[in-house]
Amino acid sequence: MQFTQSISYPGTVNEVVAMYLTPAYLERRFGQFVVEGSQAVSVEGERVSFAGTVRPELIPAAAARFVKSDLRISFTEEWATNEAGAASRTSVTVDGAPVSVEATSTLTSAEAGSVRDVTGNVSVRVPLLGGRIEKEAVAHLGRVVEREQALAANWLEEHR
């Protein structure tokens, strides 16, 4: 299911890209969702990866019956800067579950900092239920954006 979101940041394009390429920021961003000690973060140039085992209590009851083992989430994001700002390609997969997210975004300067416009697709490959789960996931994106904006604003303020 397709989605679009816009996220505002109180920092320049360069500050925001640097934040997204910082391992400590990724650990703060995703750490609460994974089992402590299970995460691995790597940065290679403009490409960052995060992986970890999803905390079992975060798996919705409706989905838990389809889960046979630990779920390992893998997040990869690659950035490229240009004259207009920056662009990224993001991929999220979950080993052990038929779920994936693919997205692209542009990050441009704005009056109060910068704005990231994200376009993507959530895919849940579960017969009969996949479409409903995708709709629920996309419906929750507003809360994800609010959390992302607050987390980023705090990080940027702390690291200026």
Side-chain angles (χ1 to χ4, degrees):
M1 170 166 271
Q2 295 282 354
F3 68 89
T4 58
Q5 288 291 323
S6 185
I7 306 169
S8 298
Y9 302 96
T12 67
V13 168
N14 288 339
E15 289 172 331
V16 173
V17 171
M19 173 185 73
Y20 278 118
L21 294 172
T22 301
Y25 178 73
L26 287 177
E27 289 174 358
R28 186 183 294 185
R29 185 179 181 197
F30 297 121
Q32 69 179 339
F33 304 111
V34 298
V35 174
E36 190 173 329
S38 72
Q39 67 264 33
V41 180
S42 70
V43 178
E44 297 174 18
E46 303 292 298
R47 185 175 192 265
V48 65
S49 299
F50 178 92
T53 302
V54 177
R55 291 182 23 219
E57 66 271 19
L58 296 179
I59 301 169
R65 64 185 171 149
F66 298 108
V67 176
K68 304 295 184 220
S69 62
D70 289 343
L71 297 180
R72 186 141 178 95
I73 190 164
S74 297
F75 169 91
T76 303
E77 190 162 68
E78 190 160 358
W79 284 91
T81 55
N82 56 48
E83 292 177 8
S88 72
R89 178 175 299 280
T90 306
S91 176
V92 180
T93 57
V94 182
D95 295 341
V99 177
S100 64
V101 178
E102 298 290 331
T104 58
S105 71
T106 57
L107 180 65
T108 55
S109 294
E111 195 170 308
S114 55
V115 175
R116 184 178 186 183
D117 292 312
V118 182
T119 302
N121 186 58
V122 175
S123 176
V124 179
R125 295 165 310 281
V126 175
L128 303 177
L129 297 175
R132 190 173 96 209
I133 296 169
E134 289 171 357
K135 286 179 188 173
E136 289 177 25
V138 169
H140 291 293
L141 283 177
R143 287 190 299 211
V144 171
V145 168
E146 288 173 9
R147 180 185 177 280
E148 179 73 23
Q149 284 178 313
L151 187 67
N154 289 338
W155 177 271
L156 291 165
E157 182 63 32
E158 289 170 13
H159 294 86
R160 286 208 164 137

